[in-house]
Amino acid sequence: MKKIYPAFVFIMALLACTEKDEIFEASFYDCIADISSNNPKHSLAQTVDGLADDFINRGVPGIMISVRDSEGQYTVSRGKSDLASAIDLKPCNRTRVGSTVKTFTAVTMLKLWEEGKLGLDDSISKYLEEEILRGIANAKNATIRQLLDHSSGIYNYIQDTRFQTASLNDLIREWKPNELLDYARGRDAYFKSGSDVRYSNTNYILLGMIIEKVTGVYFYEVFEEKLFDPLNLDFTSFAATDPVPDGIIRGYVDLYSNLNLINATYYSGWDYYSADGGLISNTSDLSLFIYRLFNGELLQPSSRSEMMKWLRPKEQPKDGFETFYGQGIFRITTDHGPAYLHSGDAIGYFASMVYFPDQDVAISWASNANYGKLDDIIQSKQTMEKIFREILK
């Protein structure tokens, strides 16, 4: 998950205020394909519709929600894909889903492990050159496993104030992975590798590089071969192939915490080419992916067991669920039992995918807005509890 820090949002606001929104015809947002698996007679359809209506009534510009279980899938959308053009959001529209890509990255790594192309307990220095790891504390000794479950202790580049300033001074800049790694160089590690867990986007940039090293092709091409195509994820792609594709819904930010939204569609350029973000998808594909993952269709049982070797951080979130770290996935403790999830932010976008093993239910929701008051509406613990309570009751 990636956040812009409050000390710098004023820069973004000044730049955004100088731009005018583009106006598009409704055909610009026509979907390439329909969601053929949608089940309008799903027993949860009315419940999911009500949740979507509530998001819109509270000021969210656009929302899509999917639920998938033994009855199949039901997906609903409400609100607008584009406020300036006043175009309704469709269930098949595509959006940015940020760090949910980390689960795709982890599954790809585990599939490569199944194929004998890497070892989870190999040091990453076995695969990446000295020049790439130079100056990144813990990088020479950390293992692939420790990158996957965030126990490497490697500094999270996105927390560096130099990066935040550079990014916000050029909001449409497209960053390359090595440029992002530069902001982790010379920074202290959070802890000795393997002694704790702490989220770090830097881990997943390095994992993307390892995928490329062992396969000889871009990491997102491996995603396509091993995940997108076999699962028929018709609405999923990686930003590097087309950073702002035609038809992607507009993203908005609530910089002033007054629901006066600013268009931020072109402001996510730091994750277009790295495996820590950059995924474009929708809730239908996300729910399909996580449902099939935990129903045994993507990984061998031994790999899925590795993925779910849970680590408990010494420090728990003060305003969130009890959380455990796995490989590219989290486990949270809820009133409905354990849930496996990953969420993601890009500037102007939020998405989350969750699987409840006790109920065999997958839920995904995504909005084309974040920050300010919208974060409490879209992604707070209270919001998640309401979604879970309504769908799992």
Side-chain angles (χ1 to χ4, degrees):
M1 183 179 293
K2 301 180 177 182
K3 287 289 185 183
I4 291 294
Y5 289 76
F8 302 98
V9 297
F10 184 63
I11 301 172
M12 192 194 305
L14 289 177
L15 291 173
C17 287
T18 66
E19 300 177 1
K20 291 184 178 180
D21 282 355
E22 302 166 280
I23 302 297
F24 296 100
E25 297 294 330
S27 59
F28 183 76
Y29 296 99
D30 284 347
C31 301
I32 296 173
D34 198 4
I35 300 175
S36 58
S37 61
N38 209 24
N39 176 13
K41 296 182 180 180
H42 198 291
S43 62
L44 288 168
Q46 186 173 355
T47 297
V48 176
D49 288 351
L51 287 168
D53 289 337
D54 184 63
F55 275 113
I56 300 304
N57 291 337
R58 297 178 66 190
V60 175
I63 190 78
M64 55 181 77
I65 307 175
S66 293
V67 61
R68 186 180 296 269
D69 59 13
S70 59
E71 293 183 51
Q73 173 208 259
Y74 178 69
T75 297
V76 65
S77 62
R78 292 287 191 272
K80 302 297 180 183
S81 60
D82 182 333
L83 293 176
S85 304
I87 297 171
D88 289 342
L89 181 63
K90 301 181 183 71
C92 54
N93 282 145
R94 302 168 70 210
T95 184
R96 297 195 189 281
V97 296
S99 285
T100 62
V101 77
K102 290 184 173 68
T103 311
F104 289 76
T105 303
V107 171
T108 300
M109 293 295 292
L110 287 165
K111 290 181 81 67
L112 293 172
W113 176 63
E114 291 175 354
E115 296 167 8
K117 294 181 179 177
L118 53 83
L120 296 180
D121 294 308
D122 290 345
S123 296
I124 64 175
S125 58
K126 178 178 178 179
Y127 302 93
L128 299 179
E129 297 86 350
E130 165 68 23
E131 182 60 24
I132 292 174
L133 303 180
R134 174 186 52 81
I136 302 177
N138 284 9
K140 291 183 179 179
N141 298 319
T143 66
I144 289 176
R145 182 187 302 277
Q146 290 166 344
L147 296 184
L148 285 165
D149 63 20
H150 295 287
S151 65
S152 72
I154 291 173
Y155 181 79
N156 188 356
Y157 75 88
I158 207 166
Q159 292 188 323
D160 187 277
T161 55
R162 298 169 303 157
F163 167 72
Q164 295 167 19
T165 302
S167 176
L168 290 167
N169 278 325
D170 188 358
L171 287 166
I172 62 173
R173 175 178 173 179
E174 296 185 5
W175 296 74
K176 295 300 173 65
N178 267 319
E179 295 174 316
L180 299 172
L181 290 180
D182 284 343
Y183 292 96
R185 304 188 199 282
R187 302 302 304 258
D188 292 339
Y190 295 125
F191 45 77
K192 181 181 178 181
S193 293
S195 64
D196 199 0
V197 286
R198 179 166 172 170
Y199 192 87
S200 176
N201 289 289
T202 311
N203 290 327
Y204 276 72
I205 292 180
L206 295 170
L207 287 169
M209 291 178 164
I210 293 172
I211 292 171
E212 293 180 346
K213 180 62 66 171
V214 301
T215 64
V217 298
Y218 291 121
F219 68 84
Y220 45 85
E221 293 179 355
V222 186
F223 290 175
E224 292 172 4
E225 174 197 343
K226 298 185 181 299
L227 301 175
F228 301 171
D229 292 342
L231 287 176
N232 295 317
L233 300 180
D234 296 331
F235 308 99
T236 301
S237 62
F238 197 80
T241 61
D242 191 358
V244 188
D246 285 353
I248 191 171
I249 63 177
R250 306 295 94 174
Y252 301 93
V253 287
D254 180 24
L255 289 178
Y256 303 105
S257 292
N258 61 2
L259 300 181
N260 183 16
L261 304 182
I262 293 171
N263 190 330
T265 304
Y266 296 94
Y267 295 166
S268 293
W270 67 65
D271 65 7
Y272 290 166
Y273 303 99
S274 55
D276 61 327
L279 196 66
I280 295 170
S281 189
N282 62 20
T283 59
S284 175
D285 273 8
L286 290 182
S287 67
L288 172 62
F289 169 72
I290 198 167
Y291 188 81
R292 291 193 175 175
L293 170 61
F294 289 108
N295 272 272
E297 297 183 43
L298 288 178
L299 294 173
Q300 297 173 7
S302 58
S303 301
R304 209 162 67 254
S305 294
E306 291 289 342
M307 189 178 207
M308 294 189 289
K309 286 185 175 179
W310 305 110
L311 302 176
R312 191 181 192 278
K314 294 177 181 178
E315 184 177 347
Q316 285 288 318
K318 294 181 175 61
D319 56 352
F321 296 93
E322 180 185 33
T323 301
F324 299 82
Y325 284 59
Q327 295 185 17
I329 198 75
F330 299 97
R331 189 187 83 197
I332 60 172
T333 303
T334 78
D335 292 340
H336 310 278
Y340 310 145
L341 87 158
H342 213 301
S343 300
D345 276 286
I347 302 177
Y349 303 89
F350 172 79
S352 188
M353 56 182 182
V354 189
Y355 177 76
F356 285 85
D358 292 349
Q359 296 85 357
D360 190 30
V361 174
I363 306 166
S364 181
W365 68 100
S367 174
N368 56 343
N370 58 1
Y371 303 127
K373 290 184 177 180
L374 289 170
D375 280 355
D376 283 341
I377 298 170
I378 298 165
Q379 55 181 289
S380 66
K381 180 184 179 184
Q382 291 73 26
T383 292
M384 295 174 71
E385 287 177 325
K386 178 177 180 178
I387 293 171
F388 302 160
R389 182 172 61 250
E390 291 295 314
I391 291 177
L392 301 173
K393 61 186 177 184

